[in-house]
Structure formats: structure tokens, C-alpha cells
Amino acid sequence: MKTRTLTAALLATVLSVPGLAAAADYVIDTKGSHAFIQFRIPHLGYSMLLGRFNEFEGTFNYDEDRPGESSVEVVIQTASIDSNHAERDKHLRGEDFLEVDKYPEARFVSTGFSENDDGTATLEGELTLHGVTRPITIEVEHMGHGPDPWGGYRRGFTGTTTLKLADFNIDYDLGPASREVELFLSVEGIRQE
Amino acid sequence: MLRNTSTGYGWISILLHWLVAFVIIGLFALGLWMTDLTYYDPWYREAPAIHKSVGILLFLAILLRLAWRWSNPRPVPLSNHKPWEQRLAHWTHVMLYALPLLVMVSGYLISTAEGRPVEVFDWFSVPATFSGYEQQEDIAGEIHEILAFILIGLASVHALAALKHHFIDRDRTLRRMLRSRTD
């Protein structure tokens, strides 16, 4: 009886200390490739072309008690673009598109995060791509979190957003159906102890 | 006369020389032009397909040329050519064989960088052998372009030298490559 009261009291103390259990830094698991940055863009308006960036890294901070204070930063190696076609990738890296020699990195730095009740959230941030920095909004789904089988703790989100290529000074004419590219993001973070 | 002799070239060598020369110039021009085409140009897909197909065929033609060169007598340099001219001409010729082969290999490595074969018209395709090296298509592309320019530069020197022999020295250097003679 006494032990149980003590435990309850201790537990209450721990839980009442704000952020002790909740606020945590996560490293996005690019090493184990549990994170993806995919893009898709219509081809002539007849089909979707899919590709991805193979190399990036990032971190995020998430506090269950104060999710609004979460933040995320991701740096993408633009030369790692991969659309499963060597000549197209070469073209995409060149001066018509990403100019990866001049702009080897793209960067996303969050500026705000607001959660809804249904597990979705809106992530605001600044995206620097092709030398242009602009605010973008990413629709986020908080997919899950918990211990992994190897002694760690993981938390994952998916996100989608749409970019106008012209907003980032990419004005190569791919046709009227192909002026916007959709991004699909899937990130899993490993909590840093 | 089809075969080479020690004093002149046979028709096979002459034809192969000019065929390779014109195809190289054509591929260079096509390459420059096609890389500037935009997405909606009717040639956007066709021009690179032709460039690649002809490139593979040229590779075979150059191998044939080398085989023919090695299985035939080598025409000796004209007696009025000075030793330094002969040495310089020899190394230029070596480079004029080596450079096209290197340009074509690097071109092949662009197209096959992600493991896809190179299609030669609708006739056959050459499978990828070496692929997946990081940014292979970009590195191979740089090499392809730089070597192509060096090749065209060297071929221009080669052509100017031939004209110099013809118009200034007034010897048979150029004529030997235009017509096969038995004497």
C-alpha cells in the first residue's frame, strides 16, 4: 500500500515537470533510409513522372506537450536527384533546372507548426531551392511513434506540398500541365537520448 | 587496289578514313545542336537517338579501321617529310584513333549510367556494362564534351597540315588519301 502511494507520488512529480518526458530531439533516419523525399510532376499532362532525392539529412524537435514549438530542418543534396533515367537526371541537374554546381544544397527550415485534433498538422517553413528562399506550407500527418525493436524510440511523419517551379526560378518549358511539382515526404526520426 | 601498299593507301582505307571523318564532324555538330533543343522541339527525342545509334556504329567502323590498318602494309611517310613532321604526324594519328574511341566510350557511359542499354536504331541494343557509379552520367558527360572538342581541334590541325602539304609543299600527302594508286 505504502509502496504504491510512493510510486504514484513519484509518477505525479515526474509527469508534472514540464517537458521532461516529452520534448526531444530526433535525427531523421536517412542512414537506415527510413526517410524519403519524393517528387511527382505530370508528363505532358498524360501521366505522372516520379523521382526522389537520395541524399539529405535533417533533425527535428517534437514536444508532445507543446507540439506548436516543434521545429525541423532538412538539407538536401540536389545532385542526388534520381528519376530512374540517367540522361534525364543529367538534364535535371544542369542549367535548365536545378543547376546543382551553383546550388548544391536545398534547405528547409521550419517557422511554425500547428497540430489539429485528427493527427494532421500544418508545417510552415522556408524552402531554399535553386538559390531562391520562399515560405512554403506542408500538410503533415503524424503517423506514429514508439519504441523500436532495437532499444530506440522513433517518431514519424508524412507530408505533402506543391511547389510552382517558376517560384524557384525554374522556367524551362515542360508544358502547361507541368508547371507544379508535388512533393511527398516521409520522415522517421530516432530520438536522441 | 583495295589493300594498302608501302607507298599508298588502298580504297578500303581511303573510304574508311573519309567515312569516319565525316561521321565524326556530323556527330559533333549534331551533339552541339541537340543539347540545346527544348522540350517541345520535334527533334528533342529523335536527335539524341540518332546521335547514339550512329555513335555505336562509328565505334564499330573505327575498330574495323584499326583491324584493317594492322593487317595491311603501312604506307611509309613521303621522303620529303622531315623526321619531326613524321613523329608529329604519327602521334597525331594515334590520338585521332584514341580520342574518338574515348569520346564514344564516355558517351556510352552517359546513356548506360543507370543500367539502361543503348538502342541502335531499331536494329539492336548494346547493354550497360559499367553503371551505377555516383553521378556517372555527369562525369561521363563532362569528359564526353571536353574530349569531343579536343578531337575536333586536333582533326582541324590534321586537316590544315594536309592542306599545307598540298598547297605549300606541293607533295602527295593529301592526294594519297584521295585516290588509290598503284605506283
Side-chain angles (χ1 to χ4, degrees), chain A residues 4 11 26 29 36-38 46 48-49 54-55 60 71 74 89 94 100 106 144 157 169 173-174 180 182-183 191:
Chain A
R4 196 184 287 171
L11 205 62
Y26 292 80
D29 187 19
F36 300 87
I37 300 176
Q38 296 186 328
Y46 306 149
M48 292 307 270
L49 185 146
N54 287 332
E55 284 168 38
F60 62 83
S71 61
V74 176
D89 292 345
V100 301
F157 301 86
N169 277 349
D173 186 16
L174 292 167
E180 293 186 346
E182 289 172 53
L183 292 184
R191 193 168 73 191

Side-chain angles (χ1 to χ4, degrees), chain A residues 43-44 55 79-80 82-87 89-91 93 96 100-101 172-176, chain B residues 35-40 44 52 109-114 116 134-138 140-142:
Chain A
H43 179 232
L44 305 171
E55 284 168 38
S80 72
D82 179 359
S83 69
N84 193 27
H85 190 279
E87 288 143 342
D89 292 345
K90 183 173 180 295
H91 194 193
R93 292 186 195 110
D96 284 334
V100 301
D101 288 344
Y172 189 84
D173 186 16
L174 292 167
Chain B
T35 45
D36 277 338
L37 292 180
T38 55
Y39 205 59
Y40 277 79
Y44 183 81
K52 288 186 280 185
L109 290 175
I110 303 173
S111 298
T112 56
E114 285 189 39
R116 287 169 199 280
E134 201 175 327
Q135 283 181 49
Q136 179 177 323
E137 58 272 36
D138 303 283
E142 286 287 316

Side-chain angles (χ1 to χ4, degrees), chain B residues 78 80-82 84-86 89 158-175:
Chain B
L78 296 179
N80 66 312
H81 292 181
K82 298 178 193 70
W84 69 265
E85 280 181 315
Q86 294 183 20
H158 173 72
L160 287 174
L163 292 173
K164 180 247 181 199
H165 280 290
H166 189 72
F167 289 111
I168 297 173
D169 301 340
R170 296 183 176 278
D171 64 24
R172 288 180 48 229
T173 309
L174 179 58
R175 268 178 287 151

